Amino acid sequence: MTGAEEQAAWTEPARGCRGCGHGPLLRVLDLGKMPAADDFPSLDSISGGDEATHPLAMDQCAGCGLAQLAEDDTVTAEPRGVEPRALRDQAADAVSRVAAGGWLPGGGTVREFGSPHGGSWLPLLTDRGYSITQDPADVVVDCFGIMHEPDQRAAFARRAAATAPGGVLLVQFHSLRAIVEQGQWNALRHGHFAYYSMDSLRALLRSVGLAAVTAWEFELYGGTVLVAAVHAPADADPAIARIRVAEAAVADPAVVRGLQSAADHQAHALRAWLDAENASGRIVYAYGAASRAVALLHLAGARRGLLAGVADASPGKQGRRMPGTDIPIISPAELVAAQPDRVLLTLPDLLPEVSSRWPELDGKWVIDVRESL
């Protein structure tokens, strides 16, 4: 990065923070113009430059620490995905651990703020004797939902109002620490407005009269955190302090800014791997038409001549193409029938599920192309 580019990367955006309303905001990741992450065009439409006209960048608030989507001018109709087994298994594990901690005595009411990606904890909680309500509830659940809200403070205020006196709000989020430490730069996408550390989440909770009191950590997506919050005042247990200490580095925007080089390196590695596979005459497909795959394929300059198709279990995506490319989205059955030499798995969490469902593809899965170069 040149000196001028480095200075531009640290320019303070004009708007205030989505969380605290202040700032200053610092640019920590800029992917330039990208296709809309959830706009999967029809296969017979032509991919053009107009599909990659949406700025995609991450800012971090130097005040409250909230990492956030800089802007979003996309308007898309997101095809509903199929909830993967990894997410279902994690939800069951989470409810069991929350119950073991004494937070689900049963017999009360539950309300859920859902994620547009699908999935629900309600069946797990109704099985424990909870009844669903739209009034203030004893248990309020938000699993990866609140990050889709442009106005973060208003979103937390709605969830605080939905939590009955003496009730608990359960918020699960993809940890900013995991995103930074593992170089998960393509967690940044249109429609995802916030990326939380424990401190930035606690600040948002405090702003609406809630207090984080305990937390649980999970391996899903490389690191997710589930926080239990109640109406203040309330004391936090050691789990909160332990996570805060572990996440201390991501309070520094200079550290978060390492995602920029991670994006460049991964995109270059993918293109080099696709070129090498193509030169060797091997047929490569991918599995998982996930939103985070959109930016990766676009940055790598992937096209149908290098990547024959992307399989996905969602019927709403099949028969379409990956945004900004001519790469078709096919069914898993079509993937198996194609007898590919390599299958790039865009979501590593899916490996146990896809391996068991399609044993015909054993030995063909590729998780990290950098290990194959």
Side-chain angles (χ1 to χ4, degrees):
M1 180 178 288
T2 67
E5 289 171 332
E6 186 170 353
Q7 181 63 38
W10 287 92
T11 300
E12 181 181 343
R15 65 165 177 81
C17 172
R18 296 185 187 278
C20 68
H22 304 296
L25 295 176
L26 298 176
R27 183 63 44 87
V28 291
L29 175 61
D30 196 335
L31 299 178
K33 302 284 188 174
M34 284 287 159
D38 285 315
D39 184 15
F40 294 89
S42 63
L43 189 55
D44 57 3
S45 65
I46 299 175
S47 173
D50 59 335
E51 285 182 19
T53 58
H54 307 285
L56 185 58
M58 179 188 288
D59 296 333
Q60 187 173 16
C61 179
C64 70
L66 181 67
Q68 53 204 272
L69 185 64
E71 59 181 300
D72 189 353
D73 63 358
T74 65
V75 180
T76 63
E78 179 177 344
R80 182 57 62 118
V82 175
E83 186 182 23
R85 187 179 74 190
L87 198 57
R88 297 194 300 271
D89 291 347
Q90 191 275 328
D93 182 28
V95 170
S96 295
R97 290 168 67 176
V98 173
W103 293 97
L104 298 176
T109 56
V110 61
R111 181 172 172 179
E112 184 175 58
F113 289 83
S115 164
H117 299 300
S120 174
W121 288 20
L122 291 179
L124 296 168
L125 292 167
T126 55
D127 284 348
R128 291 178 175 270
Y130 284 88
S131 57
I132 300 171
T133 183
Q134 291 302 307
D135 296 324
D138 300 306
V139 177
V140 177
V141 176
D142 188 305
C143 180
F144 307 122
I146 200 164
M147 68 186 301
H148 296 87
E149 301 272 6
D151 187 335
Q152 283 288 295
R153 181 160 182 174
F156 275 85
R158 287 192 293 273
R159 286 148 180 82
T163 306
V168 61
L169 168 65
L170 300 171
V171 179
Q172 184 158 12
F173 59 94
H174 188 186
S175 165
L176 180 63
R177 174 193 174 196
I179 292 171
V180 173
E181 289 184 348
Q182 299 175 32
Q184 299 176 2
W185 60 272
N186 55 346
L188 176 67
R189 47 146 289 185
H190 301 111
H192 286 184
F193 293 94
Y195 304 84
Y196 310 98
S197 64
M198 180 62 76
D199 277 352
S200 65
L201 187 83
R202 290 174 73 238
L204 281 160
L205 291 169
R206 283 196 303 268
S207 73
V208 296
L210 295 176
V213 289
T214 193
W216 301 264
E217 296 179 272
F218 302 88
E219 295 181 357
L220 185 69
Y221 302 147
T224 60
V225 178
L226 173 62
V227 168
V230 299
H231 289 286
D235 295 327
D237 74 4
I240 300 290
R242 183 179 65 252
I243 295 173
R244 291 183 65 202
V245 169
E247 291 185 345
V250 300
D252 184 351
V255 174
V256 181
R257 196 163 167 242
L259 291 171
Q260 191 75 55
S261 60
D264 296 338
H265 292 159
Q266 188 176 6
H268 292 157
L270 176 57
R271 181 54 187 260
W273 179 76
L274 288 173
D275 286 338
E277 293 295 303
N278 182 61
S280 299
R282 286 186 284 269
I283 299 174
V284 180
Y285 281 76
Y287 186 97
S291 57
R292 67 178 59 189
V294 173
L296 175 59
L297 295 182
H298 183 74
L299 276 185
R303 50 183 171 77
R304 192 168 185 173
L306 296 174
L307 189 62
V310 179
D312 197 275
S314 170
K317 296 180 181 179
Q318 294 164 13
R320 296 178 176 272
R321 60 178 172 82
M322 294 299 293
T325 79
D326 59 352
I327 303 171
I329 302 173
I330 62 176
S331 69
E334 291 174 293
L335 173 65
V336 172
Q339 298 183 327
D341 297 303
R342 302 281 190 270
V343 183
L344 174 66
L345 188 59
T346 64
L347 293 173
D349 292 278
L350 297 180
L351 184 59
E353 180 176 358
V354 297
S355 296
S356 63
R357 290 191 65 182
W358 297 290
E360 304 95 324
L361 300 175
D362 281 354
K364 300 181 178 183
W365 299 105
V366 176
I367 303 297
D368 189 343
V369 299
R370 290 166 293 188
E371 297 177 357
S372 303
L373 291 173

